[in-house]
Amino acid sequence: MASSTQVAPELALEYVHSPLRVIHKLYDEHASETDDSSVNNFGKLAQEHFQTVFANSDSLKHIPVYDQAKVPNELKSGSLVRFRCMVQDPSYGEELHLTVARVLNTETGETQQKFSQFTDMEHTLSDGWEVDYGSAHNVFTEKEVAYCVSIPGQSAWTQLDQKDNLESAMEAMSLTGAADGSHGADVSVKYPIPGTAYSAALVKFYAPNTAPKVSSAIDVIGIYELGRNAKAQDSGNEDKLWPCIHAIYYSELQPQNLNSMLPELQINDYPSRHHMCLSHLTSVLGGDDLAAQYLLLHLLSKTVRVQDAKVGKLSLNLIGIPTSDQEQTAQTGFNLTNPASKWISDAISQLVPYNVSIPFDLKLLNKSTFLPSAEDGDLQAGALQLVQGTEVICDETCLSNGTLEERGVRNLHAVQTAIIDQQVTYLYPFQPIEMPTNLRFLVLSTGKSILHNDCDVYLSSSAKQFFKSMQGSPSAEQQLRPLDPMHTEQLRQYLECARHMEFSIPQPVSDLISNEYAQARRAAHKEGKKMMTQEELALTITVARLVSISKGEVELSLTSWNEAVELERCRRERNVQAKGSSN
């Protein structure tokens, strides 16, 4: 079988509606052309073949999107689906499957090889044929099972366009509703954000693929079935049916590839994109250009691990967001109730692929679970089990007087650890495991945050008035004129490309920074003033790095360093004035 075979787009529908039949045909061709009938070898060839057939975006549009909310339990079993998801629990068991079976004709004695992978169904045989279970030619393989869910906080603009798949989806549906697809366990604890609609499935991975690591964001192409799960059988729920996707192939989902329709961003495009983005964020923050500059740098930040150090992150606390005049309603989910906080969150969600909000409501803090934990071999989700690159907006404006209970204290400590150390603890029974993460934290507060952040920015008086005008006046949320779709796409591309740029600091610039730091400390000591700390120097270097990449520079220039020094001077000066006026 030639893995490079090209298939006409109209014939791709056969692969969508009857993928197993296509695979069986390919196996028969493969077995007749070669003596090597290794199941692992053919599995790889089948994966490569399907990747070739669906190698471009046009052919992928034929594949229905797996979405329980839109087509709950109505997809035809055995059809091809596409699922962008997060691996919530990568260790949902291993299953043994008779992949290649020697079958025997009981009347003639004839034998054949039958292949059955990417399914839990038993081999389908014609009358007079049966599986020779005692044959040494039978091949058993293991498949790894992972519990996968919709990516938490996935922005609407990143969703696969269901309309493009409507015709194919309708043809692939079965409207009988014969199976309810009910799960054999409490899956309400399997999604990080309570009160949010999501899709979930058991995804089964076959050699040479292995299950991705926990919290990975992946794009799966596989065969949908309602089937049973070994873990459910162990718990006495063997009759329950689970939505399963047998992964033919998958890829790690890279945020910078979500804007693939745009031409590649060139270095000379960065200045105009930078100006456009900064202007937009200034409008979002009520005309506060200093706060907007730091918000832009925050959105460009990314944690880079250099030996034991974590550099490049910039958690940001915007101070001066007014509390909501509305009476705080009971939190049924992680929805923001303060119009000002929601305004900022909605604006950011238009620019980043993953955006999660955590309102610091006392009841929510005391009752919710922020850290993932394993019980009886089942990993239950926590609010901080998120994919790499997620924007996390913590809203302290809804924090009221009351008692923070033990769980609330643990939850705040978990957030603080994620901000400082960029790691989330997975609570396994015998030993907690610290998992590295890469989350951006934006904290919105009226006064200084109860959390320690890398950078604090007090809003200008005009910005505070801008947000105060929103309270109790929903029409005020229409003040910001939205960008046109093309400009919005350009900003998304700019942020992702800049964030993933390679960056370095030339030795001459590094030496200059060291000399300036030493001179500044000597001068401060001589004048009896507060000396610049190493923490303040590290922050200035981070700001300089982000200023550079915002302009498309791959290494730190003296101009960008001086801009960062001036930005930090203005920020500290404003913060001192704001603290003085509040006393």
Side-chain angles (χ1 to χ4, degrees):
M1 181 188 67
S3 62
S4 60
T5 302
Q6 295 293 333
V7 177
E10 59 272 13
L11 296 181
L13 289 177
E14 181 184 0
Y15 287 74
V16 172
H17 297 151
S18 304
L20 287 176
R21 184 168 61 189
V22 171
I23 289 172
H24 292 159
K25 289 180 181 177
L26 294 175
Y27 179 78
D28 291 341
E29 294 174 8
H30 174 70
S32 66
E33 293 174 1
T34 176
D35 293 333
D36 179 14
S37 58
S38 166
V39 62
N40 287 340
N41 184 42
F42 175 73
K44 181 179 179 181
L45 289 175
Q47 292 164 7
E48 291 175 348
H49 184 81
F50 271 73
Q51 284 178 295
T52 301
V53 172
F54 299 102
N56 56 63
S57 57
D58 288 336
S59 57
L60 283 170
K61 289 178 181 178
H62 291 289
I63 305 177
V65 176
Y66 177 73
D67 187 339
Q68 287 178 311
K70 295 181 179 179
V71 283
N73 308 310
E74 294 175 349
L75 281 173
K76 179 183 176 183
S77 185
S79 62
L80 199 67
V81 296
R82 186 180 185 187
F83 188 26
R84 282 181 174 173
C85 55
M86 180 187 80
V87 181
Q88 191 275 324
D89 187 347
S91 304
Y92 225 64
E94 294 183 346
E95 298 175 355
L96 194 64
H97 185 68
L98 179 56
T99 307
V100 177
R102 174 63 64 93
V103 298
L104 173 70
N105 188 308
T106 55
E107 297 179 358
T108 65
E110 181 185 357
T111 62
Q112 294 180 357
Q113 296 269 95
K114 290 293 183 181
F115 178 83
S116 180
Q117 192 165 295
F118 310 114
T119 179
D120 289 332
M121 306 299 291
E122 299 292 336
H123 294 266
T124 302
L125 303 176
S126 303
D127 292 340
W129 290 86
E130 63 181 29
V131 176
D132 181 6
Y133 288 102
S135 173
H137 296 283
N138 292 336
V139 178
F140 290 87
T141 57
E142 284 188 343
K143 45 193 168 187
E144 296 183 57
V145 184
Y147 191 88
C148 297
V149 299
S150 304
I151 299 176
Q154 187 170 6
S155 299
W157 60 269
T158 66
Q159 303 286 348
L160 294 169
D161 190 352
Q162 189 69 40
K163 290 186 292 186
D164 289 338
N165 302 282
L166 184 58
E167 182 179 350
S168 297
M170 291 301 293
E171 293 179 18
M173 280 184 199
S174 167
L175 301 178
T176 60
D180 63 5
S182 57
H183 294 198
D186 178 13
V187 295
S188 63
V189 296
K190 302 289 285 181
Y191 194 68
I193 311 301
T196 304
Y198 68 97
S199 297
L202 296 178
V203 179
K204 304 191 177 186
F205 299 90
Y206 297 81
N209 289 333
T210 55
K213 63 183 181 179
V214 67
S215 301
S216 296
I218 59 175
D219 192 355
V220 178
I221 305 295
I223 299 174
Y224 166 79
E225 286 183 347
L226 281 173
R228 292 176 172 82
N229 174 246
K231 180 174 285 192
Q233 293 173 3
D234 294 340
S235 61
N237 293 305
E238 61 275 4
D239 294 330
K240 296 293 185 180
L241 295 176
W242 295 66
C244 301
I245 298 175
H246 299 267
I248 297 178
Y249 67 93
Y250 75 91
S251 59
E252 297 279 348
L253 199 55
Q254 303 296 335
Q256 61 266 38
N257 295 332
L258 294 174
N259 290 290
S260 57
M261 299 301 292
L262 293 178
E264 183 178 352
L265 187 65
Q266 303 298 321
I267 291 297
N268 57 8
D269 294 327
Y270 274 81
S272 61
R273 299 285 179 93
H274 174 267
H275 175 77
M276 186 194 309
C277 195
L278 186 57
S279 176
H280 177 62
L281 293 177
T282 301
S283 297
V284 169
L285 296 181
D288 190 339
D289 58 344
L290 180 63
Q293 290 189 67
Y294 275 93
L295 180 56
L296 172 58
L297 300 183
H298 161 76
L299 292 175
L300 291 172
S301 65
K302 179 184 72 169
T303 301
V304 179
R305 287 170 169 80
V306 180
Q307 297 178 343
D308 294 331
K310 303 173 185 68
V311 300
K313 68 186 183 72
L314 187 70
S315 61
L316 178 63
N317 177 203
L318 291 181
I319 305 170
I321 307 293
T323 57
S324 177
D325 293 336
Q326 303 171 9
E327 183 177 347
Q328 185 69 31
T329 56
Q331 290 284 348
T332 56
F334 281 46
N335 301 314
L336 299 181
T337 57
N338 186 337
S341 303
K342 187 175 185 302
W343 165 269
I344 296 174
S345 176
D346 288 348
I348 290 176
S349 69
Q350 292 296 313
L351 301 177
V352 301
Y354 315 124
N355 178 39
V356 168
S357 298
I358 303 179
F360 278 22
D361 172 74
L362 268 181
K363 183 178 179 181
L364 184 143
L365 290 173
N366 289 331
K367 301 299 182 184
S368 300
T369 301
F370 282 18
L371 294 179
S373 61
E375 294 184 12
D376 300 323
D378 183 40
L379 182 64
Q380 300 180 1
L384 293 177
Q385 186 182 2
L386 304 169
V387 302
Q388 303 289 307
T390 299
E391 178 79 18
V392 184
I393 299 180
C394 301
D395 182 15
E396 290 187 15
T397 67
C398 58
L399 187 61
S400 56
N401 293 328
T403 301
L404 192 63
E405 299 170 1
E406 182 180 353
R407 175 178 287 192
V409 172
R410 290 200 304 267
N411 284 336
L412 282 182
H413 181 265
V415 174
Q416 185 66 85
T417 300
I419 290 175
I420 295 177
D421 298 330
Q422 283 294 305
Q423 44 186 36
V424 173
T425 304
Y426 284 64
L427 302 174
Y428 287 96
F430 301 107
Q431 181 179 2
I433 298 178
E434 303 289 345
M435 298 290 292
T437 190
N438 196 338
L439 306 175
R440 294 186 305 275
F441 283 87
L442 173 63
V443 182
L444 307 177
S445 60
T446 305
K448 196 174 187 305
S449 172
I450 59 176
L451 300 168
H452 176 73
N453 294 281
D454 297 316
C455 184
D456 304 324
V457 178
Y458 282 79
L459 294 178
S460 66
S461 56
S462 60
K464 288 190 284 188
Q465 184 59 40
F466 171 78
F467 287 116
K468 187 175 181 180
S469 68
M470 291 183 180
Q471 306 303 323
S473 176
S475 61
E477 296 187 15
Q478 305 303 319
Q479 295 178 43
L480 180 65
R481 185 176 64 183
L483 290 170
D484 64 76
M486 177 55 71
H487 285 164
T488 304
E489 288 289 332
Q490 290 174 344
L491 293 190
R492 293 166 183 164
Q493 182 191 45
Y494 162 70
L495 290 173
E496 289 299 334
C497 290
R499 191 181 299 125
H500 290 87
M501 286 180 62
E502 295 292 332
F503 183 81
S504 63
I505 301 179
Q507 191 60 47
V509 178
S510 179
D511 293 341
L512 180 140
I513 293 172
S514 297
N515 291 335
E516 284 190 2
Y517 175 62
Q519 292 172 9
R521 284 180 61 86
R522 284 195 295 268
H525 178 71
K526 184 177 181 180
E527 298 173 9
K529 297 180 179 179
K530 180 179 178 295
M531 291 189 292
M532 187 179 192
T533 65
Q534 287 190 339
E535 186 180 56
E536 290 170 334
L537 173 64
L539 174 58
T540 307
I541 293 174
T542 297
V543 170
R545 173 187 181 276
L546 296 171
V547 167
S548 281
I549 67 172
S550 74
K551 298 186 294 184
E553 298 174 352
V554 295
E555 60 180 28
L556 180 58
S557 64
L558 289 177
T559 301
S560 292
W561 168 251
N562 291 329
E563 286 182 28
V565 171
E566 178 62 16
L567 266 178
E568 276 295 275
R569 186 194 66 77
C570 293
R571 181 187 68 86
R572 288 194 297 268
E573 184 178 283
R574 178 188 285 189
N575 288 0
V576 169
Q577 292 175 351
K579 291 175 184 177
S581 62
S582 63
N583 293 334

